[in-house]
Amino acid sequence: MKTLIVCASRYGATMEIGRWIADRLPWKETEVVSVTEDPDPSGFELVFLGGGVYNEKVGKPIVQYAQKRLEALAGKYLAAFAVCLDTKGVYMKGRFFGGWLYLQPLLDALCDHPPLYAGVLSGEIIPKKLTEKDYNLLMHFYTRILKRDITEVPYRTLMDKRQVWDFTEKVLHRLEGHF
Ligand SMILES: Cc1cc2nc3c(=O)[nH]c(=O)nc-3n(C[C@H](O)[C@H](O)[C@H](O)COP(=O)(O)O)c2cc1C
């Protein structure tokens, strides 16, 4: 089944996960493409849309891509995924944060064309790769919001190929008509 995996990735985690999804698909006709290349989804039967999460939302570039390409995406099998640290989410002061909520902007953009399946997958932070702005935003988050006593953004990887393959297997299952 001709498959396109479109990834909005600022630091590479979503792109790597896109390649892991491609590894698990049991056919070879799969392309993993950055959203910056604005790939044309016509001619593909299955399209994965994935993006890294920034400030409580899946990144804007993948949402804008879905909006722009909505007509071409209609009628295709779709799957959506977000890549982040807080995959489970948390309840705090009368509100839910994180987890599934991160995907909402992408689902909203796809409106009448809901994906077959969606997933919230674990990413990573490699501090030396971050722009100064992102580094400072994260320091602010850790020290002011989480009140952590740290002087540097910590290295953290939760990248998990088994989790990505489980997600991909669910998509395959749904394609076969199972729930
Ligand atoms: C400035 C900044 C903001 C972030 N905001 C969140 C967030 O709100 N929730 C979360 O779980 N992860 C957050 N992350 C972690 C990213 O989602 C994680 O690094 C992910 O792997 C990024 O994927 P990418 O490299 O493909 O863009 C943030 C990271 C940065 C640098």
Side-chain angles (χ1 to χ4, degrees):
M1 178 177 285
K2 257 196 119 199
T3 303
L4 174 66
I5 305 175
V6 188
C7 300
S9 187
R10 211 180 278 183
Y11 297 108
T14 308
M15 221 39 212
E16 179 75 357
I17 285 174
R19 287 189 284 266
W20 288 351
I21 292 170
D23 287 346
R24 181 57 190 86
L25 292 173
W27 46 81
K28 286 189 178 164
E29 317 111 309
T30 302
E31 289 179 35
V32 185
V33 183
S34 167
V35 74
T36 56
E37 290 180 36
D38 189 21
D40 182 357
S42 321
F44 293 91
E45 291 165 270
L46 171 62
V47 182
F48 286 78
L49 302 164
V53 168
Y54 292 90
N55 305 321
E56 306 280 326
K57 288 185 181 90
V58 71
K60 267 194 203 133
I62 198 67
V63 176
Q64 286 164 348
Y65 174 82
Q67 286 163 341
K68 179 178 168 194
R69 296 288 190 175
L70 194 58
E71 221 167 284
L73 291 170
K76 313 229 171 267
Y77 295 115
L78 302 177
F81 64 101
V83 176
C84 62
L85 292 187
D86 180 17
T87 55
K88 293 223 163 70
V90 65
Y91 167 83
M92 218 164 38
K93 297 183 182 168
R95 265 193 64 193
F96 298 113
F97 295 85
W100 289 108
L101 291 181
Y102 290 154
L103 269 174
Q104 197 59 53
L106 183 53
L107 296 185
D108 290 345
L110 293 168
C111 46
D112 294 336
H113 313 290
L116 274 179
Y117 194 63
V120 186
L121 305 173
S122 303
E124 67 185 1
I125 301 271
I126 302 178
K128 69 181 173 197
K129 283 189 180 177
L130 300 177
T131 60
E132 198 179 339
K133 185 175 169 219
D134 279 352
Y135 189 99
N136 291 337
L137 278 169
L138 279 184
M139 266 315 272
H140 182 269
F141 175 72
Y142 284 125
T143 57
R144 299 290 167 87
I145 296 170
L146 297 184
K147 312 256 187 247
R148 291 237 192 108
D149 188 17
I150 54 166
T151 52
E152 290 176 347
V153 171
Y155 280 79
R156 188 142 188 245
T157 185
L158 303 169
M159 299 278 284
D160 179 353
K161 194 167 188 174
R162 180 66 254 169
Q163 179 200 47
V164 174
W165 281 17
D166 282 347
F167 163 70
T168 314
E169 283 161 21
K170 285 272 194 207
V171 175
L172 292 170
H173 211 61
R174 294 261 167 119
L175 279 170
E176 288 165 4
H178 305 295
F179 284 88

